[in-house]
Amino acid sequence: MKEEDALEARILQDQLCDLRAGLFVSMPISMVLSGLILTVQALSGNGFAAAIWFLVVNAINAARLALAHYQLKETVTGISQQLRWFGVLALLAGFAWSFLAVLTVGYTTPQAPLHLIILAGISAGAVTYGSSYAAVATNFITPPLLITVGCLSAKGNFEDYVLAFAVLLFMGGLVRSSFVGQTRFREASRLRHEAERLAAEMERNSREDPLTALLNRRGLEHAINQLENTDGPFVAMLIDLDGFKSINDTYGHRTGDELLAMIARRIEQEAPAGSTLARIGGDEFVLFFPSLRSSLSPSTLASNIIAKVASPYREVASVRIGASIGIYLAERPGLTEMLLRADVALYTAKRRGRNEFRLFDAELDRELQRRQSIERDLHSAIEARRVAPWFQPIVRLDTEAVIGFEALLRWSHPIHGSISPPEIMTAARETGMLQLLTQRVFSDCCALIDGLVKADRRDVRVAMNVSPRELEAGDIDDMVLNGLAAKDLPATMFEIEITEESPVDPERLDEKLGRLSHAGISIALDDFGTGFSTLASLKDSRIRKVKIDQGFIRGLAKSREDRLLVKTVIDLGRALGIDVMAEGVETEADRQILYKLGCRTAQGFLFSKAVPLSQALEVAVKEGPKRC
């Protein structure tokens, strides 16, 4: 009901505003026309009565203008009262204009036709400029026009009867136009305000998370922009839930949604007064506030929030929810900058485990600057071939003869020096250049294979690392198969090393691996023994090689446990018909132990570091590589 009253008040306010605007046009016209009548009457010898009439008419006009300047309370009652006063003054003005009949002796004087024309014009003008509120127009025109009809009818001749009837029809048309105009004006006003209300509601909804009733990212950005002139520093906390995915998997999404709302309320209970809390992702929240509004330090507040969120929930007793928090202190509010730095701190906190927080500090700032610099320079480095694969030989442990190469990314950054392959791949993934980088690596692998074919070293295989997610999401299988076919290179000389990472869509990955394996390409399991690797991986008949992670190889001669594990993998591979090789061999002692355990191939600095393509080809055609 209150909403309907508010809408009615806005419609009445529109009527009032339109009426006021019309008065500032019609009142000067009324003054001019009344002055014209005064002049005509004065020239006909009836100036005194006309002057009195003129003063009365314009006194009423002045009162109407004064009322137009006066503002009552913007309520339904207040606006309606002001509109009624306009109706009363319009009625008084109508009676004043009725005295034209007296000035023209019942419209019988020679000046009567002119007065009738002026009266008709001012009546039509009243309807035109007062169409938003019919009472004003009808109150004004009814008295003079009815009196005019009466005067014309009193003359008693046919022509005057016809004229009186015409005036009556004219008045009826004007009255109808007034009410039709008012109806249309109110309907247009109602539609406009309802559209504005709907737009405002949509705007509010666009800034609000419907699940938790918190702000969403857009709402948070708007709230932060409102604080541009507020004194800092400001605290931004990026809160990410730990273990929440298992809630949806175990209890269903409905329970997960209900839990998110409960967690939002818990965070609100710990949030400082006047702070802003938003949900910007599936299980990510942002708490933002000027630091002066909190009596607690950011670290203490983060600890309190973590403890509150981690408290048990009866609805999901079998699952423990935690929270990790990244904190950034900024002098000026800016959502993008704050979230970027808080996210860096959050990532660092998550690496420590569950229920941890980390403040973005100078050390993390240096890491961020390094990451941004690497991402900024990556594209130009790829284009200029400063980022390129080098090739590390794979050798037989008994003869040290080269039997293959693994492509390893190398980049010497002008500021940061040597950039590790994982950093390069992460930067490529973040900047959308992973596909371009993969194509460049594959192109160089093809170039090496081509050189090996020409050197009659078809027994040497070239390997390229590919992550399962990269393989399943892209078209690497098409790139490899079509690329080898286009260059007429044997597929048996190419190998794909699959890193141990859990795929999102195993069926799609299986399909692509099947295509590659069927074409004769060797599929190797890289970094076996780490990450997501499982013994079940060895059951896949397409896996032809397993590479034991270097973490088990370095110091092998000194570790009985590592020797037992490596021996188990070698024996298992032999039983399944899978080649087993070791990576990261750096000492002669480790090489000898590996050979005694039954491993026949390996790679590592003991034999050779990774070298550019041209040197790799030179190494391959020699009888044996030189040690580094």
Side-chain angles (χ1 to χ4, degrees):
M1 195 66 183
K2 290 182 178 179
E3 190 172 302
E4 293 179 3
D5 290 343
L7 177 60
E8 179 63 20
R10 287 193 288 269
I11 294 174
L12 290 174
Q13 183 66 42
D14 286 346
Q15 289 181 274
L16 184 59
C17 290
D18 184 78
L19 192 60
R20 285 171 175 162
L23 284 175
F24 289 109
V25 176
S26 62
M27 291 302 95
I29 295 174
S30 176
M31 183 176 179
V32 171
L33 293 178
S34 61
L36 179 60
I37 290 174
L38 173 61
T39 303
V40 172
Q41 289 297 114
L43 292 176
S44 64
N46 195 18
F48 180 75
I52 294 175
W53 173 82
F54 176 82
L55 291 174
V56 171
V57 167
N58 285 287
I60 297 172
N61 288 343
R64 296 170 76 182
L65 289 173
L67 182 61
H69 283 288
Y70 183 67
Q71 182 70 48
L72 291 175
K73 292 182 180 179
E74 293 188 1
T75 61
V76 172
T77 302
I79 299 172
S80 297
Q81 183 180 354
Q82 192 165 8
L83 287 172
R84 282 195 294 271
W85 274 110
F86 274 116
V88 170
L89 291 175
L91 184 61
L92 291 177
F95 279 120
W97 278 87
S98 299
F99 274 84
L100 284 181
V102 176
L103 295 177
T104 58
V105 192
Y107 294 104
T108 60
T109 64
Q111 296 81 24
L114 175 63
H115 289 29
L116 286 173
I117 293 173
I118 292 175
L119 180 61
I122 202 168
S123 298
V127 173
T128 301
Y129 292 107
S131 61
S132 59
Y133 188 60
V136 169
T138 55
N139 285 359
F140 176 78
I141 67 174
T142 300
L145 291 181
L146 284 179
I147 289 175
T148 300
V149 170
C151 291
L152 292 173
S153 300
K155 292 184 180 181
N157 57 64
F158 180 75
E159 291 81 1
D160 290 322
Y161 287 151
V162 172
L163 184 57
F165 183 70
V167 172
L168 198 60
L169 290 178
F170 176 63
M171 184 183 73
L174 291 180
V175 169
R176 181 182 181 280
S177 296
S178 295
F179 284 101
V180 170
Q182 174 180 279
T183 300
R184 290 177 177 172
F185 184 91
R186 285 179 57 84
E187 180 64 15
S189 176
R190 182 185 65 79
L191 291 175
R192 179 168 62 85
H193 286 298
E194 286 184 345
E196 290 173 351
R197 179 183 57 79
L198 181 60
E201 184 177 337
M202 292 176 64
E203 177 67 18
R204 286 193 302 272
N205 291 340
S206 71
R207 297 177 182 174
E208 185 178 287
D209 172 40
L211 183 61
T212 61
L214 300 177
L215 295 177
N216 57 19
R217 187 187 182 100
R218 187 168 182 268
L220 176 62
E221 184 173 11
H222 181 267
I224 290 176
N225 290 338
Q226 304 305 306
L227 297 175
E228 287 184 351
N229 298 322
T230 304
D231 293 334
F234 300 89
V235 178
M237 290 187 174
L238 184 58
I239 306 166
D240 186 78
L241 302 183
D242 298 322
F244 182 78
K245 184 179 182 299
S246 62
I247 296 295
N248 288 332
D249 295 341
T250 305
Y251 293 93
H253 287 277
R254 180 174 180 179
T255 300
D257 291 347
E258 293 173 352
L259 185 62
L260 279 174
M262 294 171 60
I263 291 172
R265 303 292 81 80
R266 289 191 178 188
I267 298 175
E268 281 182 323
Q269 292 170 8
E270 297 297 326
S275 60
T276 300
L277 181 61
R279 175 174 173 247
I280 63 169
D283 57 357
E284 277 192 328
F285 298 84
V286 172
L287 180 61
F288 173 81
F289 57 92
S291 61
L292 296 178
R293 293 186 181 178
S294 176
S295 58
L296 302 177
S297 69
S299 297
T300 302
L301 180 59
S303 297
N304 292 347
I305 291 174
I306 289 174
K308 193 79 171 182
V309 172
S311 298
Y313 300 85
R314 288 185 305 167
E315 295 79 3
V316 290
S318 64
V319 180
R320 287 290 178 263
I321 301 297
S324 298
I325 301 179
I327 308 169
Y328 176 62
L329 273 65
E331 289 300 321
R332 303 299 310 162
L335 181 62
T336 302
E337 176 189 1
M338 291 190 300
L339 287 186
L340 174 63
R341 284 157 175 76
D343 186 62
V344 172
L346 174 65
Y347 179 76
T348 306
K350 278 189 168 294
R351 284 187 297 187
R352 296 177 179 174
R354 293 165 62 100
N355 295 329
E356 295 283 347
F357 69 87
R358 174 67 188 269
L359 183 68
F360 186 88
D361 53 17
E363 179 186 351
L364 291 184
D365 187 53
R366 286 191 294 271
E367 289 184 17
L368 177 61
Q369 296 299 327
R370 172 188 170 89
R371 190 183 81 187
Q372 291 177 327
S373 176
I374 291 172
E375 292 178 355
R376 183 174 57 248
D377 299 337
L378 179 60
H379 184 266
S380 61
I382 295 175
E383 292 293 337
R385 302 196 70 81
R386 292 191 297 274
V387 176
W390 285 21
F391 297 88
Q392 185 174 37
I394 300 171
V395 304
R396 289 180 57 90
L397 285 177
D398 52 355
T399 64
E400 296 188 8
V402 175
I403 60 172
F405 291 93
E406 179 184 2
L408 300 172
L409 283 171
R410 293 292 184 265
W411 181 17
S412 181
H413 193 278
I415 298 175
H416 306 294
S418 179
I419 308 300
S420 68
E423 274 190 289
I424 298 173
M425 295 299 291
T426 299
R429 190 175 291 109
E430 291 295 324
T431 56
M433 285 182 279
L434 186 57
Q435 183 178 8
L436 173 63
L437 185 60
T438 303
Q439 290 172 345
R440 290 296 172 87
V441 173
F442 176 68
S443 177
D444 281 10
C445 288
C446 288
L448 180 55
I449 292 174
D450 184 54
L452 292 169
V453 170
K454 292 176 180 177
D456 199 25
R457 286 301 310 267
R458 291 175 176 264
D459 58 317
V460 177
R461 186 178 289 149
V462 179
M464 182 179 80
N465 288 286
V466 178
S467 74
R469 293 185 183 183
E470 184 184 358
L471 180 58
E472 69 176 333
D475 56 355
I476 292 180
D477 52 334
D478 290 331
M479 178 192 72
V480 170
L481 296 176
N482 296 337
L484 293 173
K487 295 177 174 62
D488 195 25
L489 299 175
T492 54
M493 292 183 67
F494 188 70
E495 182 172 270
I496 286 182
E497 294 187 3
I498 301 294
T499 56
E500 280 298 347
E501 176 185 299
S502 180
V504 176
D505 187 352
E507 292 184 2
R508 180 171 171 82
L509 178 64
D510 287 345
E511 177 187 347
K512 290 176 177 288
L513 286 177
R515 288 188 64 200
L516 294 168
S517 177
H518 182 73
I521 293 171
S522 174
I523 308 296
L525 197 60
D526 197 12
D527 299 331
F528 188 78
T530 64
F532 291 91
S533 65
T534 63
L535 290 176
S537 304
L538 302 181
K539 293 170 57 178
D540 192 332
S541 60
R542 292 165 302 194
I543 301 298
R544 301 179 183 178
K545 180 192 290 186
V546 169
K547 296 180 68 175
I548 304 175
D549 185 72
Q550 58 187 352
F552 298 97
I553 304 302
R554 289 174 181 169
L556 182 67
K558 301 177 182 179
S559 174
R560 179 176 178 272
E561 291 79 7
D562 284 347
R563 290 197 298 273
L564 289 173
L565 287 172
V566 170
K567 174 63 175 172
T568 300
V569 174
I570 292 172
D571 292 344
L572 186 60
R574 184 182 295 114
L576 294 174
I578 298 174
D579 293 336
V580 178
M581 68 165 286
E583 57 183 356
V585 180
E586 297 182 355
T587 67
E588 178 64 26
D590 290 340
R591 184 193 73 81
Q592 292 180 6
I593 291 294
L594 280 169
Y595 189 74
K596 290 179 180 179
L597 293 176
C599 183
R600 294 295 175 256
T601 57
Q603 69 184 96
F605 282 2
L606 177 65
F607 312 110
S608 175
K609 62 182 179 181
V611 296
L613 191 155
S614 58
Q615 294 183 33
L617 193 57
E618 292 177 4
V619 169
V621 297
K622 294 180 180 178
E623 290 185 359
K626 296 180 179 180
R627 293 187 181 178
C628 298

